Amino acid sequence: MKIIGVRFREVGKICYYDPDDIDIDVNDRVIAETDRGVECGRVILAPRELSNKYDNPIKKIIRKADLEDVVRYEENMKKEKEAFDICKAKIIELDLPMKLILAEYTFDNAKLLFYFTAECRVDFRELVKILASIFRVRIELRQVGVRDETKMVGGVGSCGRALCCHSYLSDFVPVSIKMAKEQSLSLNPAKISGVCGRLMCCLKNEAETYEYLNRKMPREGASVCTPLGEVGVIVSTSVLRQTVKVLVNKSEDAKEIEEYSLSEIRVQA
């Protein structure tokens, strides 16, 4: 059985479909059924044989998008901007404690979704009634978290590059404070937090490398023997360079700090 990978958002989750013997290449647009309704997506992964057993049933794509479908898709994007402005105005008018993030039409125009953030529970029933009377389609409001908001809106990180979540991450990865400690980063929240206010996703990128290198690194304060047979104590370490600085006793009155690679020293038990 063959499958293809399809994205319905620019950096959204990859969904898998049966191409149903239709000639499809990467970057082609296809029409498929999703949990939100019929959508127009872009093929990210070319057709390939399904090697492992897949527990969930795999849906077939409805068809390959034609010129008319692409035109409708582009028209929907324009309508989404108008819908966003109208909904935002109504939120202000009703004085609702919520922040509108995104408006999104399903491809078949059967549903209009609005994504928002809020610090508390919001009674938006009146808003739904007003929007339904204006757009004459099924209205759905979805509350999202701050990380989802940042992924949808995008921005620039402290590194000067586009945010990871908005540029290439399909799903959020688990990030912990332990990763920052492993990388010897300052635990100042302002230094290790992203635009969303949560721990930066990029802490995960080098976590495995640092874990591996730290396992090889002796602790500070450990006694070691240098290449010249001198005994010293480790005063600092460089994980990436895999070097240590050792305080060596040269004589009863003289001590010096010297740098060695891990291969040059021997840790004393």
Side-chain angles (χ1 to χ4, degrees), residues 56-231:
N56 299 323
I58 298 178
K59 297 179 181 178
K60 295 182 178 181
I61 64 167
I62 297 174
R63 64 178 182 277
K64 187 174 179 178
D66 54 24
L67 181 59
E68 185 178 338
D69 292 326
V70 174
V71 171
R72 175 187 279 192
Y73 175 78
E74 292 175 349
E75 288 177 348
N76 283 351
M77 293 183 68
K78 294 178 182 178
K79 290 166 61 178
E80 287 169 358
K81 294 179 181 178
E82 296 174 2
F84 180 92
D85 292 337
I86 292 173
C87 183
K88 187 174 181 179
K90 295 302 177 184
I91 289 173
I92 296 173
E93 185 180 311
L94 295 172
D95 194 25
L96 295 174
M98 55 194 291
K99 179 183 176 183
L100 188 64
I101 303 301
L102 183 73
E104 189 175 66
Y105 269 102
T106 56
F107 177 75
D108 56 6
N109 283 191
K111 188 190 299 184
L112 177 55
L113 299 96
F114 293 97
Y115 298 88
F116 71 95
T117 59
E119 295 183 358
C120 56
R121 188 180 180 87
V122 181
D123 183 358
F124 49 70
R125 288 174 294 182
E126 185 63 27
L127 176 62
V128 171
K129 291 179 183 178
I130 293 173
L131 295 176
S133 65
I134 294 174
F135 298 106
R136 300 293 180 181
V137 295
R138 181 182 170 188
I139 301 296
E140 189 172 319
L141 271 72
R142 293 188 178 181
Q143 185 171 353
V144 298
V146 289
R147 296 184 84 189
D148 295 291
E149 174 190 359
T150 305
K151 182 177 178 65
M152 291 177 181
V153 177
V156 177
S158 57
C159 59
R161 304 186 64 177
L163 298 177
C164 299
C165 61
H166 186 70
S167 57
Y168 72 90
L169 283 181
S170 299
D171 297 300
F172 290 114
V173 293
V175 185
S176 67
I177 197 70
K178 179 185 175 183
M179 295 177 184
K181 292 179 180 178
E182 287 272 3
Q183 297 172 43
S184 301
L185 297 175
S186 167
L187 299 185
N188 182 344
K191 299 288 186 181
I192 58 176
S193 298
V195 174
C196 62
R198 302 291 189 267
L199 289 173
M200 294 187 293
C201 294
C202 59
L203 291 176
K204 177 69 174 178
N205 294 351
E206 298 176 348
E208 290 184 8
T209 300
Y210 272 95
E211 285 177 10
Y212 170 73
L213 294 176
N214 277 323
R215 283 197 297 268
K216 299 168 62 178
M217 184 66 63
R219 61 179 175 80
E220 291 183 14
S223 295
V224 297
C225 185
T226 71
L228 297 177
E230 299 168 322
V231 176

Side-chain angles (χ1 to χ4, degrees), residues 5-16 36 41-42 44-45 104 148 151-152 164-172:
V6 181
R7 268 189 182 145
F8 297 96
R9 289 184 186 172
E10 200 60 38
V11 197
K13 184 178 179 181
I14 298 177
C15 302
Y16 297 97
R36 297 176 297 176
R42 186 184 297 277
I44 302 299
L45 300 177
E104 189 175 66
D148 295 291
K151 182 177 178 65
M152 291 177 181
C164 299
C165 61
H166 186 70
S167 57
Y168 72 90
L169 283 181
S170 299
D171 297 300
F172 290 114

Side-chain angles (χ1 to χ4, degrees), residues 219-254:
R219 61 179 175 80
E220 291 183 14
S223 295
V224 297
C225 185
T226 71
L228 297 177
E230 299 168 322
V231 176
V233 176
I234 296 176
V235 293
S236 67
T237 62
S238 176
V239 178
L240 290 181
R241 294 173 60 197
Q242 289 289 277
T243 60
V244 295
K245 288 186 177 180
V246 181
L247 181 64
V248 180
N249 296 317
K250 292 294 185 181
S251 65
E252 291 184 0
D253 301 323

